[in-house]
Amino acid sequence: MLLKFKPIAIVAALLLGGQVHAEEALRLAFVDPLSGPLASSGQLGLKHYQYAAAEINAAGGVLGGRMIEIVPFDNKANPQETSLVLRRLADEGFSFVSQGNSSAVAAAIIDAVEKNNSRNPEHKMMYMNYSAVDPALTNEKCSFWHFRFDTEVNMKTAAMTTFMATQKDLKKVYLINQDYSFGRAVGEASHKMLNEKRPDIEIVGEEYHPLAKVKDFSPYIAKIKASGAQAVMTGNFGADLTLLVKAARDAGLDVDWYTYYSSLLGTVTAMGDAGVDRVYELVEWHENIDNAELTEFAEGYKAEYQDDWRYMRVRTMLHMFANALNAAGTDDPEAVAKALDNASYDSPLGPVRMQSENHQIIMPQYVTLLSRDVEHDLEGTGIGRKTVASFQAEQVKLPTTCDMKRP
């Protein structure tokens, strides 16, 4: 287990990070959009990585004192651009790569890493995924070299629809999602699981829109309004969610929202009072969970970046990565991957496990509701999340079709 350090020690580690020589550091490539329409999501993830790595570095680093260095690369959320970045990483000797925004990009990374490891067995790479949740990535497209540290779409939707099934007055739902692998997976899982758990709920409309290209969602909102929907279920994230919610607020759309990414940067501010007691989100942590260790960690991040901590899975991922490095006793990616395979982690919120059969993490999940009746808010709005349902790690586990080929 890693030692606990105060936020001031993390800040000191951040300040000292620039003094670490590249040859001494354990480099982790962070590949996400740092420019373009999804840049805010990528920049948010980068800050999370830097702060979580600083906590580990403040506790002494890994492998007897090496510091983890987060090295950012901009892929503009584009699979083709990502493939070029991966070639550069291979040329520059990176062994570890991480990414989260866009499952299409994640699939491109898995493909690039598999090809690299086959062609260059002396310079293998390992990939850690913090937010790309297309179920295929740990099923038919699974890879020994890929580890997912976020719950995948079917797992998320299973938990969310279990909660929705308890809402007895809910009869009409509208689905709207981004038109690519992740959004399609959300739509398909929502149809299947709502029908199984509440066949009396009617899907009154469904839309798939281009990823990160729609500037005005008012035509979509007009359709939702005309459908008579009581609730909207969406996997949208980034600008696609913020602009959707803004259009709904401007049109006076009176519905509940069932979401996976409504606490991301700017979204709560955009919703304001329109989101209070109406917006549900499935998360692995939130700011009003009663846990002193994680509250202190999140408050330290807020003091450092003047922003809210969002992805506790990033901290979990880097702790598990550090533990795997130390267990392997080497930075050889194959040895580290074998140490992560079926690894357990005693998180502050309960047991977490990386499934050996498909390298999909299972961890506790919470359904939250936006509220003003909270101690900690988001974005200075006076609005924060409170738990309305919770699931332990084993409760969200699902079967896998992964047929993993191991080295």
Side-chain angles (χ1 to χ4, degrees):
M1 291 294 292
L2 294 163
L3 297 177
K4 299 176 185 177
F5 275 69
K6 298 290 185 181
I8 190 170
I10 301 176
V11 174
L14 286 165
L15 295 173
L16 290 171
Q19 300 174 24
V20 176
H21 297 298
E23 63 270 23
E24 297 174 351
L26 191 295
R27 297 184 302 168
L28 173 59
F30 175 84
V31 181
D32 246 357
L34 302 176
S35 63
L38 295 179
S40 62
S41 296
Q43 294 285 357
L44 180 66
L46 177 58
K47 290 188 291 185
H48 276 54
Y49 272 62
Q50 291 169 333
Y51 193 74
E55 180 191 33
I56 293 168
N57 292 341
V62 295
L63 296 173
R66 293 176 65 184
M67 301 292 102
I68 295 176
E69 180 184 5
I70 307 301
V71 186
F73 292 86
D74 182 12
N75 69 350
K76 303 177 179 62
N78 181 283
Q80 291 73 34
E81 187 77 21
T82 301
S83 295
L84 295 176
V85 171
L86 264 289
R87 289 180 196 169
R88 178 181 170 187
L89 295 179
D91 290 342
E92 295 183 9
F94 278 84
S95 297
F96 304 102
V97 57
S98 192
Q99 172 269 352
N101 284 281
S102 171
S103 291
V105 168
I109 294 178
I110 291 173
D111 183 63
V113 168
E114 283 280 356
K115 288 177 179 176
N116 173 79
N117 293 357
S118 175
R119 296 168 182 169
N120 303 294
E122 300 304 314
H123 301 284
K124 292 177 180 175
M125 303 174 76
M126 190 188 90
Y127 163 41
M128 295 185 294
N129 166 6
Y130 78 96
S131 204
V133 292
D134 182 352
L137 301 178
T138 48
N139 284 289
E140 60 266 28
K141 295 181 181 178
C142 71
S143 167
F144 173 80
W145 306 104
H146 166 236
F147 295 84
R148 176 154 50 197
F149 288 85
D150 193 1
T151 48
E152 51 102 326
V153 167
N154 290 339
M155 297 165 74
K156 290 178 185 289
T157 306
M160 183 63 89
T161 53
T162 294
F163 172 73
M164 292 172 72
T166 67
Q167 308 303 294
K168 299 305 181 183
D169 293 334
L170 181 59
K171 302 294 183 182
K172 296 182 177 183
V173 175
Y174 200 102
L175 306 179
I176 182 166
N177 288 289
Q178 296 151 320
D179 191 9
Y180 78 114
S181 58
F182 163 65
R184 291 277 172 180
V186 172
E188 291 169 10
S190 300
H191 266 288
K192 179 177 182 292
M193 295 180 186
L194 281 174
N195 184 60
E196 289 173 350
K197 298 172 185 179
R198 281 284 305 278
D200 59 313
I201 291 179
E202 181 185 0
I203 306 296
V204 294
E206 184 171 15
E207 296 281 351
Y208 292 99
H209 63 81
L211 174 66
K213 292 183 178 178
V214 179
K215 304 301 180 186
D216 179 11
F217 277 91
S218 58
Y220 296 97
I221 295 301
K223 290 182 181 180
I224 296 172
K225 208 168 187 179
S227 74
Q230 298 166 284
V232 174
M233 193 171 185
T234 180
N236 279 20
F237 65 89
D240 283 339
L241 182 58
T242 302
L243 293 175
L244 176 66
V245 170
K246 283 182 178 179
R249 183 194 61 189
D250 293 344
L253 179 63
D254 184 22
V255 294
D256 288 334
W257 295 82
Y258 293 91
T259 75
Y260 303 126
Y261 301 109
S262 57
S263 61
L264 293 189
L265 192 63
T267 310
V268 173
T269 298
M271 288 185 289
D273 283 329
V276 173
D277 298 327
R278 304 305 298 267
V279 175
Y280 297 92
E281 182 183 23
L282 186 78
V283 295
E284 79 274 1
W285 170 86
H286 65 88
E287 62 282 356
N288 288 296
I289 289 178
D290 186 16
N291 183 278
E293 178 183 343
L294 297 183
T295 297
E296 181 181 36
F297 178 82
E299 289 297 306
Y301 175 86
K302 190 170 186 177
E304 174 64 20
Y305 287 108
Q306 290 74 57
D307 195 7
D308 299 299
W309 181 264
R310 323 267 176 160
Y311 310 137
M312 198 56 73
R313 61 185 177 272
V314 169
R315 182 180 189 261
T316 298
M317 180 186 74
L318 289 183
H319 275 233
M320 292 183 73
F321 178 48
N323 289 346
L325 283 161
N326 291 332
T330 174
D331 62 1
D332 174 70
E334 183 173 328
V336 176
K338 289 178 177 177
L340 261 180
D341 186 85
N342 205 35
S344 296
Y345 172 60
D346 188 17
S347 87
L349 299 177
V352 169
R353 183 168 61 85
M354 179 60 67
Q355 294 186 127
S356 178
E357 56 265 41
N358 62 346
H359 290 178
Q360 166 65 57
I361 200 168
I362 55 171
M363 58 186 173
Q365 299 288 292
Y366 301 84
V367 179
T368 66
L369 177 65
L370 282 183
S371 174
R372 286 196 175 274
D373 184 25
V374 292
E375 181 178 356
H376 303 286
D377 70 354
L378 287 167
E379 301 174 355
T381 59
I383 301 168
R385 296 170 288 182
K386 65 180 182 181
T387 300
V388 293
S390 62
F391 302 86
Q392 290 304 304
E394 295 294 335
Q395 291 180 279
V396 299
K397 180 181 176 181
L398 292 175
T400 179
T401 60
C402 172
D403 181 18
M404 186 175 290
K405 295 176 176 59
R406 300 172 181 271

